[in-house]
Amino acid sequence: MSELERQLDELVELLRSGPKIAVLTGAGISAESGIPTFRGKDGLWRQFRAEELATPQAFFRDPRLVWEWYDWRRGIIGAKEPHAGHRVLARWERYFPHFVLITQNVDGFHRRAGSQNILELHGNIWEVRCTKEGTIAENYESPLPEIPPLCPACGAIVRPNVVWFGEALPSETLEEAYAASATCDVMFVVGTSAYVQPAASLPLLAAERGAKIIEVNPEPTPLSSSADFAFLAKAGEVLPLIDERLLAGRGQA
Ligand code: APR
């Protein structure tokens, strides 16, 4: 039996004991769908300067430039599909009695893959927020017919309903994420460089409370050395492997 098979069987045995599960995902889970990550070799922060595009100051200074960038990203995301890894997490939401999905991603792929109860820590690129009234609306227009888009109700410019650098995360969503991390028995950490706070503190909180940490990432991260299971592999490969064993009843049930 390979080391990977041994790890998978040990993990499936843990999962079959009915643990409370939390999952934290980052850009890496959408990489196999063809969506660029932020800090990888061809990551967005290698091609663009975050402070010129993903901050309130940048938007105030040049809303057109910021919206042109988000319109481009929406075009890329809209042309791609969630993959098997996203679909496994959507299935697990129904399979496990206690399951919370927390994501840093704004691409909406978890929702498109069928997940319903998602804590979107950094917002959603398919939502816009009126800069005057604060109202949030879904907007799937791609490309956008006008840039910057305006609020249909009051005519003010709307902004992407995403969290920019220097901004607070949605407080209720963050509270729920902390609560899920503090009470879970198992936390999967999939496709994140575990670098950006406060999301990066969630696995540390879970581990502090005794949860088992399962990392899925082809690259090591600051979390890897303390993870109970570290699968140095792609999300689209490992998550289906775990799911197959879970369904087949393999592993010491
Ligand atoms: N499967 C799993 N992980 C992968 C894959 C894959 N196929 N491909 C790449 N990864 C990993 C990379 O090794 C890296 O550790 O995904 C991680 C992506 O890291 P980042 O690009 O830093 O993305 P993320 O961790 O989500 O960034 C957090 O930073 O810029 C902000 O708001 C932005 O939500 C984002 C936050």
Side-chain angles (χ1 to χ4, degrees), residues 8-9 12-13 15-16 91-92 95-96 239-253:
L8 286 168
D9 283 345
V12 167
E13 185 182 351
L15 295 179
R16 295 179 75 78
R91 197 184 79 72
W92 286 1
Y95 178 86
F96 290 106
L239 293 176
L241 274 180
I242 298 168
D243 193 45
E244 277 160 32
R245 275 164 168 72
L246 211 49
L247 286 177
R250 280 175 61 178
Q252 293 71 31

Side-chain angles (χ1 to χ4, degrees), residues 25-29 31-32 37-40 45 104-105 122 163 165 190-196 216-221 233-236:
T25 63
I29 194 169
E32 288 153 277
T37 61
F38 291 96
R39 295 172 184 82
W45 299 149
Q104 301 170 86
N105 299 344
H122 295 165
V163 177
F165 289 102
V190 184
T192 181
S193 55
Y195 173 74
V196 171
V216 179
N217 192 325
E219 305 288 331
T221 72
K234 294 181 176 179

